[in-house]
Amino acid sequence: KKNLFGDDYGLIANNKKIGPLISIVTVVHNDVANIEETILSVINQNYENIEYIVIDGKSNDGTVDIIRKFESSVEYWISEPDKGIYYAMNKGADIAKGDFITFMNSGDRYLTTDVFDNITEACFIPTIYKTHLGKDKWVNVRNIKHSIPYCHQGMVFKNMNIKYDLEYKYAADYDYFLRHGYDVLPFSSSGKIFYDNRGLSSNSWEARKELSLIIKKNFGFYYGARSFFLFSLKYVVIKIINFFK
């Protein structure tokens, strides 16, 4: 919340400094096996000035029962049919009133309780994912002209009322990042995240083509063609690895 000093979140209540309001959006559909762990990782954060929003796509597997179990810790939740993950994330963004916004979808989770303790600007929270060989690995920062530099689960955005472009079905998170005008985000000094790397947006052939189109649109033909070749090569390697598992 801005005070007379602009972005200095130094509002005082009972002699205690209040930090920025951070909106966390969780999107879920029929993921009863993982949603509780995701919710718990949010509501167990040390930081108190959090607005937690859960958008469910009309689950029928018990997911809604889990959400209801924790609804006293959720500022807003809804369960209704939607048109896909980015559509649902936009619904959450429409509701979010925070100074900052971040997305922690079902299956992903915060690994520590200090994730938001020191956040006062857009940043990237160190993130671990599981490789296709089953090993845990830290997310490395990528060249912005090759792909989204960071995984979206680890990014905390300044809330600029930007929405995901529903023209993109797999790589809207990359386009969303670019439209914020960020180049390099600072790393957060606290916190750790785990994300599930098995989603369609990571591994499908259509996703890799879409990424190449976004790169071409923003950085020109050379980088678009280069990315398509490298993505194609990676796709084939992943298929071979999965075949021999």
Side-chain angles (χ1 to χ4, degrees):
K1 299 179 186 298
K2 291 186 178 180
N3 61 15
L4 295 176
F5 303 98
D7 287 328
D8 180 6
Y9 302 99
L11 302 174
I12 303 295
N14 298 324
N15 296 319
K16 182 178 180 182
K17 188 172 182 178
I18 300 175
L21 177 64
I22 298 175
S23 297
I24 303 175
V25 178
T26 292
V27 167
V28 60
H29 180 247
N30 285 341
D31 194 25
V32 68
N34 296 301
I35 184 60
E36 180 165 347
E37 190 171 28
T38 298
I39 290 174
L40 285 171
S41 79
V42 175
I43 67 177
N44 285 331
Q45 289 298 309
N46 302 331
Y47 191 75
E48 296 180 355
N49 202 17
I50 287 175
E51 174 191 50
Y52 190 28
I53 299 164
V54 180
I55 307 295
D56 176 71
K58 199 64 175 177
S59 294
N60 57 14
D61 68 339
T63 292
V64 174
D65 295 329
I66 300 296
I67 298 171
R68 285 199 179 100
K69 178 180 174 182
F70 298 103
E71 64 182 351
S72 63
S73 299
V74 177
E75 274 62 42
Y76 177 93
W77 73 274
I78 192 169
S79 181
E80 64 181 12
D82 56 47
K83 300 175 184 177
I85 186 169
Y86 294 122
Y87 181 90
M89 290 165 78
N90 278 346
K91 285 165 64 175
D94 281 336
I95 296 160
K97 299 179 179 66
D99 304 291
F100 297 97
I101 184 169
T102 187
F103 298 86
M104 180 54 56
N105 294 335
S106 186
D108 307 322
R109 61 189 182 274
Y110 300 116
L111 294 176
T112 61
T113 60
D114 62 345
V115 172
F116 301 104
D117 288 6
N118 302 311
I119 290 179
T120 57
E121 61 180 336
C123 64
F124 177 69
I125 301 162
T127 304
I128 292 172
Y129 70 98
K130 195 169 290 293
T131 70
H132 298 283
L133 296 176
K135 296 181 179 179
D136 288 343
K137 186 176 180 180
W138 289 100
V139 170
N140 293 320
V141 180
R142 296 175 289 253
N143 188 314
I144 194 172
K145 295 181 180 179
H146 299 169
S147 180
I148 186 169
Y150 318 87
C151 62
H152 80 86
Q153 296 88 343
M155 287 187 281
V156 178
F157 296 91
K158 191 174 182 65
N159 191 354
M160 301 166 62
N161 199 32
I162 293 174
K163 302 298 187 294
Y164 290 89
D165 187 342
L166 300 183
E167 173 187 350
Y168 303 114
K169 299 186 183 303
Y170 303 94
D173 50 353
Y174 184 26
D175 172 76
Y176 180 83
F177 174 84
L178 291 172
R179 285 189 289 117
H180 278 77
Y182 299 138
D183 184 5
V184 177
L185 288 175
F187 272 66
S188 170
S189 60
S190 63
K192 187 163 60 175
I193 289 173
F194 171 84
Y195 90 93
D196 186 345
N197 190 40
R198 297 169 298 174
L200 284 175
S201 61
S202 298
N203 300 323
S204 77
W205 177 254
E206 291 300 321
R208 298 179 191 284
K209 290 196 294 184
E210 203 169 86
L211 278 167
S212 297
L213 290 174
I214 293 172
I215 292 170
K216 180 183 175 183
K217 175 182 175 181
N218 287 275
F219 303 111
F221 177 80
Y222 169 77
Y223 287 104
R226 181 183 183 278
S227 67
F228 185 74
F229 171 76
L230 293 176
F231 292 152
S232 300
L233 183 62
K234 182 178 179 181
Y235 178 82
V236 171
V237 170
I238 290 172
K239 284 293 184 182
I240 292 172
I241 290 173
N242 289 336
F243 178 79
F244 287 104
K245 273 187 177 180

